Amino acid sequence: MRPFLLATLLVSTAAQATAPWQDEAAAQIPPFAEHLLGTVRQAVTDGGPIAAVQACQALAPQIASEHSHQAWQLGRTSLKVRNPDNTPDAWERSVLERFAEAAIAGTPVKELRYGEEVDGEYRYMQAIAVGEPCMACHGTAIKAEVQEAIDQYYPHDQARSYQIGELRGAFTLTRPLAQETQ
């Protein structure tokens, strides 16, 4: 019984050690997400879904860079990427696959998040659910002219045919742990 108790305490201690990083990581996402969504909404208002495709292609990487700073690197990834620069690495793919399994099993996508220490970094991912604003460019009924624009800007696009509420991808954050002592 003692080994079980020791293992439980070690797991609890490890979870407590990463909890501050998880909270800090989670706090980085709302401003980033709001900036991205605000940019897309403004583009739709100014020029429709085609303008949103153009804005995503031109501005999304810049927005991610603006929200990344010395401590945190932010980005987005998916099992079905639109931009090949957002292709998941092995760790991200593993987490996304677990998110997909959990979503299929009934866990609400908005509740899916995971963080851990990996190779001297704290890595965190939080799932992104497909919402109504996403459907014009990621849904099942994409207008022909929008499909043409997507094909022009993203010739290797895989990010179509989603339903509202499905797992679109995830925000992905990385923080070097060496900064913890600074």
Side-chain angles (χ1 to χ4, degrees):
M1 184 170 276
R2 283 185 180 217
F4 174 75
L5 179 60
L6 179 59
T8 303
L9 289 174
L10 290 175
V11 169
S12 295
T13 303
Q16 290 171 354
T18 60
W21 295 124
Q22 182 169 333
D23 293 344
E24 189 176 318
Q28 306 300 311
I29 294 170
F32 177 44
E34 289 169 18
H35 193 169
L36 285 168
L37 190 55
T39 299
V40 170
R41 283 186 176 142
Q42 188 61 53
V44 169
T45 299
D46 293 345
I50 294 172
V53 171
Q54 294 167 336
C56 281
Q57 194 269 339
L59 299 176
Q62 177 184 336
I63 293 168
S65 180
E66 287 174 18
H67 286 269
S68 295
H69 46 80
Q70 188 175 8
W72 292 101
Q73 293 299 309
L74 282 77
R76 294 171 301 145
T77 190
S78 177
L79 293 172
K80 294 177 13 178
V81 295
R82 174 154 286 170
N83 181 342
D85 292 341
N86 295 338
T87 299
D89 63 25
W91 183 85
E92 291 167 330
R93 178 169 293 286
S94 174
V95 173
L96 285 165
E97 288 169 350
R98 285 185 275 167
F99 283 178
E101 290 171 8
I104 289 169
T107 303
V109 172
K110 292 182 179 188
E111 293 178 13
L112 298 172
R113 52 189 45 103
Y114 180 75
E116 72 175 327
E117 293 180 18
V118 180
D119 299 329
E121 298 178 318
Y122 181 75
R123 300 197 66 184
Y124 178 81
M125 289 179 69
Q126 184 171 308
I128 301 169
V130 175
E132 183 60 42
C134 309
M135 297 307 288
C137 298
H138 294 285
T140 57
I142 302 171
K143 292 181 180 178
E145 62 270 14
V146 176
Q147 288 185 31
E148 289 174 17
I150 293 168
D151 291 342
Q152 176 186 351
Y153 289 100
Y154 301 102
H156 303 289
D157 176 51
Q158 303 167 10
R160 301 180 199 189
S161 301
Y162 285 99
Q163 301 290 323
I164 292 177
E166 280 187 307
L167 175 66
R168 168 63 188 97
F171 294 104
T172 181
L173 294 84
T174 304
R175 182 192 205 295
L177 291 174
Q179 293 182 355
E180 181 177 350
T181 59
Q182 293 179 354

